[in-house]
Amino acid sequence: MNQAAVVDNLYAELVSASRNPRQLESLEKIKKACDYLEEQGLRVTLTAIEHYCVDREWRGPKAQSIRNSKVLRHYVELRQSAQGVTSSRGTRRTEPLIADETVRSYVRVLQEERDQAVAARARIEAGLRSIPGIPVDELIRVGFGGGASSISKPANSTSLPVAAKDALEKLFDTNILANCGLQLHKDRIRQAITGNVLLEKHHVAALRALTAPEES
């Protein structure tokens, strides 16, 4: 029996054995979160599961609630184990062992936040590259401290395509951002609930410059 079948069998057993409606609901939400994280190529962590539930405006389960529940924690640990088997094939872990539990927990949280940030950046880059006329590589270079060469307009182009202009207008429409759980705050685009920044101030300025009127 492969690892996926083991996970599926455990989930079925936990659902069948559960007599607590609230626990059963939490288990179903956790499964959806784990499935989504794996589909997106992200690590299954308690923090990531909590963020998934918060983004969908569910009341839970929170990371601490999962830790406190033997059933929920057992299912998440098995999902993590299954993911670890898949991702570790052909690779070796080089992370040092940390004896102190407090430090180890802190490092684990930082790693989770790092993975979430890396995945978010990859999704943003992929989305921008799908829009014709936006110099994504130039924006990334400027965002990491490089000097701007011709950020005001796309190279070898007299004007921004209509589709690209529409996309940028939607990006700065506060109502649309709010519907997606985002907000424009102090010239930064961030997640409304967690405050995690999606686009920094210089990224927003660079995108605004693309739609600025051409000088005559």
Side-chain angles (χ1 to χ4, degrees), residues 160-182:
L160 204 61
V162 175
K165 289 182 179 180
D166 290 343
L168 290 175
E169 288 176 0
K170 289 179 179 293
L171 185 61
F172 298 118
D173 187 308
T174 55
N175 291 328
I176 294 177
L177 288 175
N179 290 336
C180 296
L182 302 171

Side-chain angles (χ1 to χ4, degrees), residues 1-10 13 78 85 89:
M1 183 181 298
N2 59 33
Q3 195 74 12
V6 172
V7 171
D8 290 341
N9 286 344
L10 174 65
E13 291 175 3
L78 188 60
V85 169
R89 291 174 181 173

Side-chain angles (χ1 to χ4, degrees), residues 33-45 48-49 116:
C34 292
D35 290 343
Y36 172 81
L37 292 169
E38 287 187 351
E39 289 171 2
Q40 298 299 314
L42 303 176
R43 288 177 58 198
V44 172
T45 65
I49 292 172
Q116 294 292 323

Side-chain angles (χ1 to χ4, degrees), residues 3-4 7 38 42-45 76-93:
Q3 195 74 12
V7 171
E38 287 187 351
L42 303 176
R43 288 177 58 198
V44 172
T45 65
V76 172
E77 288 174 349
L78 188 60
R79 292 296 296 255
Q80 291 173 327
S81 175
Q83 191 177 45
V85 169
T86 302
S87 62
S88 63
R89 291 174 181 173
T91 63
R92 293 183 60 187
R93 292 179 60 85

Side-chain angles (χ1 to χ4, degrees), residues 73-205:
R73 187 177 69 250
H74 179 44
Y75 178 72
V76 172
E77 288 174 349
L78 188 60
R79 292 296 296 255
Q80 291 173 327
S81 175
Q83 191 177 45
V85 169
T86 302
S87 62
S88 63
R89 291 174 181 173
T91 63
R92 293 183 60 187
R93 292 179 60 85
T94 58
E95 298 176 2
L97 296 176
I98 302 174
D100 188 278
E101 174 62 27
T102 302
V103 176
R104 186 163 64 248
S105 298
Y106 181 69
V107 170
R108 188 158 51 243
V109 170
L110 291 178
Q111 289 173 332
E112 293 172 4
E113 294 293 340
R114 175 202 62 194
D115 292 344
Q116 294 292 323
V118 170
R121 177 183 170 182
R123 289 195 295 271
I124 294 169
E125 291 179 13
L128 290 175
R129 283 197 169 92
S130 68
I131 304 174
I134 292 185
V136 178
D137 293 327
E138 177 75 0
L139 292 177
I140 294 172
R141 187 175 67 82
V142 173
F144 281 89
S149 55
S150 57
I151 194 66
S152 60
K153 292 295 175 183
N156 301 323
S157 177
T158 57
S159 62
L160 204 61
V162 175
K165 289 182 179 180
D166 290 343
L168 290 175
E169 288 176 0
K170 289 179 179 293
L171 185 61
F172 298 118
D173 187 308
T174 55
N175 291 328
I176 294 177
L177 288 175
N179 290 336
C180 296
L182 302 171
Q183 62 181 187
L184 185 61
H185 178 74
K186 294 183 179 180
D187 291 329
R188 294 175 175 84
I189 294 180
R190 69 178 191 176
Q191 217 283 334
I193 298 177
T194 64
N196 293 336
V197 176
L198 182 65
L199 295 179
E200 292 287 356
K201 198 170 184 178
H202 50 270
H203 296 141
V204 172

